[in-house]
Amino acid sequence: MTTATTRHSDRRVSPVFVGILAVTAVTGWATWSGFAEQPGVAVFLFVTAAWVVSLCLHEYAHARTALHSGDITVGSKGYLTLNPMKYTHALLSIVLPVVFVIMGGIGLPGGAVFIERQRIRGRWRHSLISAAGPLTNVVFAAVCTAPFWLHALDGVPAQFRYALAFLALLQVTAALLNFLPVPGLDGYGVIEPWLSYQVKRQVEPFAPFGLLFVFALLWVPAINREFFDVIDAILRGLGVPDNDTSYGYSLYRFWD
């Protein structure tokens, strides 16, 4: 089996990730209980830590799928430890997405774990590796919105509900953006194996700029408005009111 050469230590969960989980748990409790003197600070820390957890799981999903598809090098690179410091571009994978959440409430996809694609056989496997990351965001969004669409909000403190709503918004935006068929994003990675060699060669020079292109488009007011209309429609379909996400974002930006 391809996983046989992956050492147990290569899969051991990193203390860094455990620390992020601990921050998520403690600040989530502080948000729920109202323990913090400034609720906005607790919401900020809780949402940011939970967002980083989802980023780690996103990249882990890529790496784990690649491992079972034939790339046995992901273990030695540290990708299976959930340690964000092991990513190819820690700045892009963690820092930049957090900055964009702070700036505009957008779940910007980060990058990335380096997959040795030449080890992977079969177009379906390549597509699945690319899809695994944003599908993790879909699952995370389902978990965050579950109390809403299950009508299980009785007894849930308002501040915690608002934080969950905003966190759900981040997950939905991350999934939607990642699934765009734009070079450099996972959506393009899903369809790339099925494109002709000529098309891939023509698109390849634009891959490093795909994320910047999407970011630039989102700064266009009309496009930004349409994009968030779609996000709001999805969240409403999952039972999350617009006001809850707005209140969550307001609490998150406690310094305003």
Side-chain angles (χ1 to χ4, degrees):
M1 293 178 62
T2 56
T3 58
T5 58
T6 303
R7 297 172 301 177
H8 178 70
S9 59
D10 292 337
R11 305 186 191 188
R12 188 176 297 122
V13 176
S14 164
V16 175
F17 182 74
V18 173
I20 299 170
L21 278 179
V23 171
T24 305
V26 171
T27 54
W29 169 80
T31 301
W32 179 285
S33 64
F35 178 80
E37 291 185 9
Q38 292 185 308
V41 175
V43 170
F44 174 82
L45 293 174
F46 169 60
V47 172
T48 300
W51 173 234
V52 173
V53 167
S54 73
L55 292 173
C56 293
L57 292 174
H58 176 114
E59 302 302 342
Y60 176 83
H62 284 309
R64 188 76 188 196
T65 308
L67 173 68
H68 291 291
S69 298
D71 183 5
I72 60 175
T73 68
V74 294
S76 61
K77 293 170 184 171
Y79 296 158
L80 302 178
T81 66
L82 290 161
N83 185 352
M85 305 308 296
K86 295 292 185 179
Y87 298 150
T88 306
H89 300 292
L91 176 64
L92 290 178
S93 294
I94 301 297
V95 178
L96 194 60
V98 170
V99 168
F100 274 92
V101 171
I102 294 172
M103 289 176 57
I106 298 176
L108 191 72
V113 293
F114 177 71
I115 307 298
E116 295 189 12
R117 293 281 182 169
Q118 72 275 10
R119 295 176 177 267
I120 312 299
R121 297 292 179 265
R123 290 183 292 184
W124 282 107
R125 289 180 177 179
H126 283 280
S127 295
L128 184 58
I129 291 169
S130 295
L135 285 176
T136 303
N137 293 112
V138 172
V139 172
F140 216 105
V143 171
C144 291
T145 58
F148 295 89
W149 49 265
L150 289 175
H151 306 290
L153 290 170
D154 290 344
V156 176
Q159 293 167 2
F160 190 83
R161 184 175 78 243
Y162 300 152
L164 271 187
F166 180 53
L167 185 58
L169 180 144
L170 297 180
Q171 300 302 326
V172 172
T173 57
L176 188 59
L177 288 172
N178 258 303
F179 272 127
L180 291 176
V182 175
L185 298 181
D186 291 328
Y188 178 76
V190 172
I191 66 172
E192 184 184 25
W194 308 90
L195 301 177
S196 68
Y197 176 77
Q198 290 78 9
V199 171
K200 287 189 282 189
R201 283 296 300 271
Q202 290 174 346
V203 171
E204 186 177 0
F206 300 99
F209 309 105
L211 187 58
L212 293 176
F213 174 72
V214 171
F215 170 64
L217 285 179
L218 288 175
W219 277 98
V220 178
I223 295 177
N224 184 279
R225 184 167 54 252
E226 291 296 326
F227 174 76
F228 275 102
D229 283 347
V230 172
I231 297 299
D232 290 341
I234 293 172
L235 289 171
R236 282 196 299 272
L238 293 170
V240 182
D242 295 348
N243 286 342
D244 282 13
T245 55
S246 298
Y247 291 150
Y249 184 50
S250 297
L251 280 172
Y252 182 82
R253 291 180 60 88
F254 66 91
W255 56 87
D256 283 349

